Amino acid sequence: MSYTLEGNTGTWEIVVGLEVHAQVISKSKLFSGASTVFGGEPNSQVSLIDAGFPGMLPVINQTCVEQAVRTGLGLKARINLESRFDRKNYFYADLPTGYQISQFEHPIIGTGIVEIELADGSTREIGITRLHLEQDAGKLMHDQDPKRSFVDLNRAGVALMEIVSEPDIRSPEEAGAYLRKLRQILRYLETCDGNMEEGSMRADVNVSVRKAGEPMRTRCEIKNVNSIRFVMQAIEIEATRQIEIWEAGGEVDQETRLFDPHKGETRALRSKADAHDYRYFPDPDLLPLVIEQSWVDQIKQTLPELPDEKRARFQKDYGITAYDASVLVAEQSTADFYEKVAKGRDGKSAVAWVTGDFFAALNRTGKSIEESPVSADSLGAMLDLIADGTINGKIAKEVLEEMFETGEAPIEIIDRKGLRQVTDTGAIEAAADDIIGKNADKVEQYKGGKDKLFGFFVGQVMKATAGKANPAIVNDILRKKLDG
Amino acid sequence: MSLDLATTRRIAKLARIGLDDQEIEAVRAQLGGILGWIEILDEVDVEGVPPMVGTSVTTTLKPREDVVTDGNCQDKVLSNAPDREGPFFTVPKVVE
């Protein structure tokens, strides 16, 4: 099912491309030795290079280059062994030098691919146009003083990767799936923490609309959207606005817009007359960046297993569904936890416990998987106790809750609380006889054809044994007594 | 090459330099002179020569290690600020 919007003149489809700014994980800035740590005292993590003092020269950070290459490899992209840095000129208070060092004509990374999964289980490939390295700008605060804006340059000069997608995205859902996937890949690679709240990942969204089969129409760029949900909302709202303009006989102007989530609208940030003229030119302070293929190959050797590969392997090795596998690989920590639990055990039952009762308990206690009081080994031990018949599944839920509270090993809880499964057929038979004796009327109804009552007898016997009876044995015994 | 007045005004605006009509004419003439001088380079035959961005064709960028070696000099950084407020630079309010 493709996504379309209905206008008065017919059906419209949307065309979206995303430019994602991802902050590179590094200790120091792209061209200076100042720290990149978030939340420092204002203007304390600033060198004279970052502050644009005259005569200061930029020197490139090797790790930032490595992170860009690593990301490029993760996006199955072309790595350009020679790239260049250019000055992108604009005048603004967050940019002390009056230009941002960026890569314009010769980016370090060329075309690549991100595969996205959609809710209906289908997959699509979204093309990556390029990835380049550039400097972040400083931060302005407008709410501290009625007449002045305050400037903090701690972020100025921190390395960003700008990751540009092809205009391959056709719905808000696809945009969301693309951003989630990209963030997942960056986190697996440990090249960006993907934290949109702290601004270490932000998106510029290019939106246009067209009738089926038409070439592209004019697009608008929505700047700096800082959550996946807002990106999805902004696309729909902006597309609707453009359709109204075209249908009223107007022309959409190519312009930069802002998304206002409170008002649910986009509005023009700059008119065409004020459009930026960046006057890019090669930065004379920086020679071409040349890297060796052998170094790229070395980096490739250190890449982790990425989400797509991990998902495929989980399905194959553990016999679980595509859906379950994608839930598990969403975070690397979850995938690692699952794998410890599943190794040497039944993968299906492991996924049911991890994504079922275990996740529920984490949610209930507000803990992350790293803070879980129940380790993967401990959960695995509990699965073993179910498999060997020491406890049944129902009791196991109780044991798991207790494990969350006390952090004890499952076997200790089972012994302390006397929860071992009753497999003694004599005891179960006695309980069954008792229940049948007490419910002669129900026995009559059952024999008269009310099959559903069988469940009632099972329930009563389980209750009589405090849930500890082996359900399979209970079933056998009741069948014999009631049907025989 | 001569620079037209509209382009000169645009350059001044992009550089955030306010110039009156008399000044703009003077700057136009000066910039035109510079451009004309640079255009002498057009006489060089560069057919088949790949574009270069520096004076060296053999030297490439020398990287540094990812170590924090700089910063922590708030006073120096703010020393030229015409209007500082606590740890901040300030500028006339700009809201885009």
Side-chain angles (χ1 to χ4, degrees):
Chain A
M1 245 314 273
S2 63
Y3 173 93
T4 52
L5 291 169
E6 287 306 317
N8 297 323
T9 61
T11 302
W12 296 81
E13 59 181 48
I14 64 169
V15 180
V16 175
L18 292 172
E19 292 167 22
V20 171
H21 290 91
Q23 196 181 95
V24 174
I25 295 177
S26 66
K27 295 190 189 77
S28 62
K29 296 183 178 180
L30 182 55
F31 292 111
S32 89
S35 167
T36 59
V37 173
F38 181 76
E41 157 85 6
N43 289 310
S44 66
Q45 294 163 194
V46 183
S47 77
L48 300 183
I49 300 171
D50 309 318
F53 276 47
M56 306 305 297
L57 285 174
V59 186
I60 196 158
N61 181 334
Q62 176 81 358
T63 297
C64 294
V65 177
E66 180 175 343
Q67 293 285 57
V69 170
R70 214 173 153 71
T71 307
L73 291 168
L75 299 174
K76 302 178 182 68
R78 205 184 65 225
I79 312 296
N80 295 324
L81 298 180
E82 179 167 345
S83 63
R84 300 220 180 126
F85 287 96
D86 302 281
R87 292 186 180 179
K88 179 181 179 178
N89 300 278
Y90 66 95
F91 188 92
Y92 204 54
D94 62 5
L95 191 73
T97 47
Y99 58 84
Q100 176 193 35
I101 304 177
S102 181
Q103 297 190 293
F104 186 52
E105 264 185 277
H106 303 280
I108 184 162
I109 308 294
T111 53
I113 279 169
V114 169
E115 193 181 280
I116 59 169
E117 296 98 44
L118 301 168
D120 64 2
S122 64
T123 59
R124 270 202 72 201
E125 285 188 350
I126 305 297
I128 298 292
T129 313
R130 57 185 280 163
L131 175 157
H132 67 254
L133 280 168
E134 62 184 26
Q135 300 172 300
D136 206 345
K139 202 173 129 199
L140 293 177
M141 272 150 280
H142 305 296
D143 51 3
Q144 313 279 316
D145 187 280
K147 291 207 165 120
R148 298 177 298 173
S149 295
F150 287 16
V151 188
D152 173 11
L153 298 178
N154 279 353
R155 214 178 54 190
V158 169
L160 298 178
M161 296 179 284
E162 178 169 329
I163 305 166
V164 183
S165 87
E166 294 286 319
D168 287 346
I169 295 164
R170 292 288 174 274
S171 70
E173 187 204 353
E174 286 182 11
Y178 169 79
L179 286 170
R180 275 193 299 274
K181 189 52 163 294
L182 186 59
R183 184 170 62 180
Q184 218 177 73
I185 293 171
L186 296 171
R187 283 182 174 165
Y188 268 67
L189 293 167
E190 294 179 56
T191 56
C192 168
D193 68 22
N195 189 333
M196 294 187 88
E197 295 77 50
E198 285 180 9
S200 44
M201 193 173 138
R202 348 188 249 280
D204 297 343
V205 190
N206 286 293
V207 181
S208 66
V209 297
R210 66 179 177 191
K211 296 274 180 73
E214 274 186 357
M216 307 260 190
R217 297 197 184 201
T218 311
R219 67 186 155 85
C220 288
E221 183 183 18
I222 310 161
K223 275 274 179 202
N224 260 329
V225 189
N226 62 3
S227 88
I228 293 177
R229 195 163 55 92
F230 287 165
V231 167
M232 295 169 69
Q233 285 173 6
I235 291 170
E236 186 159 347
I237 287 164
E238 174 60 16
T240 307
R241 184 189 74 90
Q242 292 181 14
I243 291 168
E244 279 167 14
I245 293 174
W246 291 120
E247 293 197 330
E251 281 267 331
V252 169
D253 287 330
Q254 184 168 340
E255 62 190 1
T256 305
R257 302 181 68 84
L258 261 192
F259 175 57
D260 182 338
H262 303 296
K263 293 191 182 153
E265 61 173 30
T266 67
R267 57 174 177 270
L269 187 63
R270 280 187 285 272
S271 69
K272 224 176 185 175
D274 293 329
H276 280 151
D277 175 354
Y278 293 125
R279 295 152 291 151
Y280 281 99
F281 65 89
D283 192 315
D285 289 340
L286 292 161
L287 292 158
L289 173 60
V290 177
I291 56 177
E292 300 286 330
Q293 183 60 46
S294 59
W295 186 57
V296 174
D297 293 340
Q298 269 175 40
I299 297 171
K300 200 169 187 174
Q301 296 299 314
T302 68
L303 285 200
E305 183 181 38
L306 289 168
D308 287 343
E309 303 155 16
K310 205 183 268 293
R311 196 187 63 227
R313 184 171 60 80
F314 277 13
Q315 283 180 251
K316 187 170 146 285
D317 289 3
Y318 300 111
I320 61 178
T321 64
Y323 174 80
D324 281 341
S326 65
V327 170
L328 292 172
V329 304
E331 296 287 341
Q332 201 158 16
S333 51
T334 310
D336 292 348
F337 187 96
Y338 168 76
E339 193 145 36
K340 266 194 200 157
V341 177
K343 200 142 239 167
R345 302 192 175 94
D346 176 39
K348 284 183 196 151
S349 125
V351 75
W353 280 96
V354 170
T355 62
D357 289 82
F358 176 73
F359 274 9
L362 283 181
N363 276 337
R364 202 170 48 240
T365 51
K367 289 198 158 79
S368 72
I369 202 158
E370 289 86 358
E371 303 161 338
S372 168
V374 175
S375 69
D377 289 341
S378 190
L379 182 59
M382 195 194 80
L383 261 60
D384 291 340
L385 293 167
I386 302 172
D388 71 10
T390 308
I391 51 173
N392 64 38
K394 194 157 172 272
I395 290 292
K397 286 173 186 281
E398 194 183 323
V399 173
L400 183 62
E401 284 202 20
E402 188 80 12
M403 286 161 69
F404 258 89
E405 270 168 40
T406 64
E408 275 177 285
I411 192 70
E412 287 168 23
I413 295 168
I414 292 162
D415 285 341
R416 179 161 56 77
K417 301 186 91 178
L419 296 173
R420 275 178 195 272
Q421 180 161 254
V422 177
T423 49
D424 171 6
T425 49
I428 296 172
E429 258 186 73
D433 286 338
D434 186 44
I435 299 296
I436 289 170
K438 279 185 192 153
N439 294 283
D441 53 332
K442 294 221 166 55
V443 175
E444 276 313 304
Q445 291 172 25
Y446 175 76
K447 291 194 166 162
K450 273 191 96 174
D451 291 350
K452 272 189 293 182
L453 275 171
F454 190 77
F456 163 81
F457 291 109
V458 174
Q460 290 298 308
V461 175
M462 291 305 286
K463 205 171 153 191
T465 57
K468 292 184 284 183
N470 178 319
I473 299 175
V474 173
N475 266 293
D476 280 354
I477 288 172
L478 281 171
R479 287 268 174 235
K480 245 180 274 165
K481 292 193 185 293
L482 290 167
D483 300 348
Chain B
M1 148 166 187
S2 78
L3 201 62
D4 66 51
L5 214 53
T7 307
T8 313
R9 284 214 170 88
R10 179 158 176 75
I11 293 167
K13 190 184 173 198
L14 288 167
R16 299 299 191 277
I17 296 173
L19 298 172
D20 63 28
D21 286 352
Q22 207 183 336
E23 289 168 323
I24 204 97
E25 181 50 42
V27 168
R28 189 195 66 78
Q30 285 170 7
L31 285 179
I34 293 169
L35 283 176
W37 191 72
I38 297 281
E39 272 168 5
I40 296 172
L41 289 173
D42 286 348
E43 292 168 18
V44 182
D45 180 10
V46 290
E47 189 66 31
V49 180
M52 53 190 281
V53 292
T55 49
S56 166
V57 285
T58 50
T59 328
T60 58
L61 210 50
K62 293 277 176 292
R64 52 168 237 280
E65 269 187 68
D66 182 27
V67 183
V68 176
T69 54
D70 208 341
N72 250 323
C73 52
Q74 199 189 50
D75 276 341
K76 269 191 199 161
V77 164
L78 291 165
S79 59
N80 295 321
D83 179 31
R84 106 179 231 194
E85 179 70 49
F88 294 103
F89 296 92
T90 76
V91 293
K93 187 157 267 192
V94 278
V95 181
E96 217 181 66

